[in-house]
């Protein structure tokens, strides 16, 4: 095979590039799975950073093999194409990193507005309503600042506070959830705003940091 003929330095760089591709792919998938629900609630100004990392990581792995082949063949045009590809990868990683950091600082105002809208338009059936339920269940929270925010929602007047707010689903019924006084003993007291913004800022910071770190390590 041509592998033994690779210069040690080139072999190391190709191996390192493949490793960075795997890391970016893993972080991108993790970001999408971890933040998907929260990003869907901020769809108006959502970030594509996880998708950029997934695409970049996958592309790096594929083109890393091409780089190995180009080095083995010693083909000038292949090596130039590979160098151009590395430049595009670097730019994509910068975009993901910048997107992550910018979005991280825009979360609070955007989430307050969009989550308020999601509560006002909540119907338990559409995608945003499911996202609200997922957030309230996974973070054990209710409403924006507290469960009382639901009292202004049209949904409350017909069905009460959503069951996703319940501390114990087996001890929650519609009649209880329609009565704010009784509901106070049945639902989670803490609002979702502080929990979500803190969670998003931390995790977007990790994604942005990884993207920047790998981009500059490739330089």
């Amino acid at each position: 095979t041509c592998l033994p003929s690779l210069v040690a330095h080139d072999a190391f760089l190709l191996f390192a590039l493949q490793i960075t591709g795997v890391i970016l792919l893993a972080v991108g998938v993790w970001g999408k799975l971890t933040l998907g629900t929260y990003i869907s609630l901020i769809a108006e100004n959502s970030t594509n950073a996880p998708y950029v990392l997934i695409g970049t990581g996958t592309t790096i792995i594929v083109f890393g093999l091409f780089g190995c082949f180009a080095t083995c063949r010693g083909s000038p045009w292949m090596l130039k194409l590979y160098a151009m590809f590395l430049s595009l990868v670097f730019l994509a990683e910068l975009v993901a990193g910048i997107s992550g950091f910018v979005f991280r600082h825009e979360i609070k105002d955007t989430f307050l507005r969009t989550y308020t809208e999601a509560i006002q338009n909540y119907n338990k059936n559409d995608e945003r309503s499911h996202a609200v339920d997922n957030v309230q269940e996974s973070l054990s929270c209710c409403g924006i600042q507290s469960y009382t925010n639901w009292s202004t929602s049209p949904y409350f007047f017909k069905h009460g506070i959503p069951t996703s707010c319940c501390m114990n689903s087996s001890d929650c019924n519609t009649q209880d959830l329609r009565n704010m006084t009784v509901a106070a003993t049945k639902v989670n007291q803490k609002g979702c705003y502080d929990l979500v913004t803190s969670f998003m800022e931390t995790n977007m910071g990790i994604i942005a940091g990884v993207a920047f770190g790998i981009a500059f390590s490739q330089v």
Side-chain angles (χ1 to χ4, degrees), residues 105-114 193 197:
H105 295 295
E106 291 181 348
I107 288 172
K108 289 188 175 181
D109 291 340
T110 303
F111 181 73
L112 179 60
R113 183 177 69 258
T114 56
Y193 176 73
T197 53

Side-chain angles (χ1 to χ4, degrees), residues 15-27 53-62 89 93 214 218:
F15 175 74
L17 187 66
Q18 291 287 75
I19 293 299
T20 61
V22 172
I23 293 173
L24 285 176
L25 177 60
V27 172
L53 294 186
I54 291 173
T56 302
T58 302
T59 307
I60 284 177
I61 294 171
V62 172
V89 166
E93 290 166 349
I214 289 181
Q218 289 176 353

Side-chain angles (χ1 to χ4, degrees), residues 155-170:
Y155 181 86
F156 175 80
F157 297 107
K158 293 182 179 179
H159 309 284
I161 298 174
T163 55
S164 57
C165 281
C166 293
M167 290 186 284
N168 183 353
S169 58
S170 63

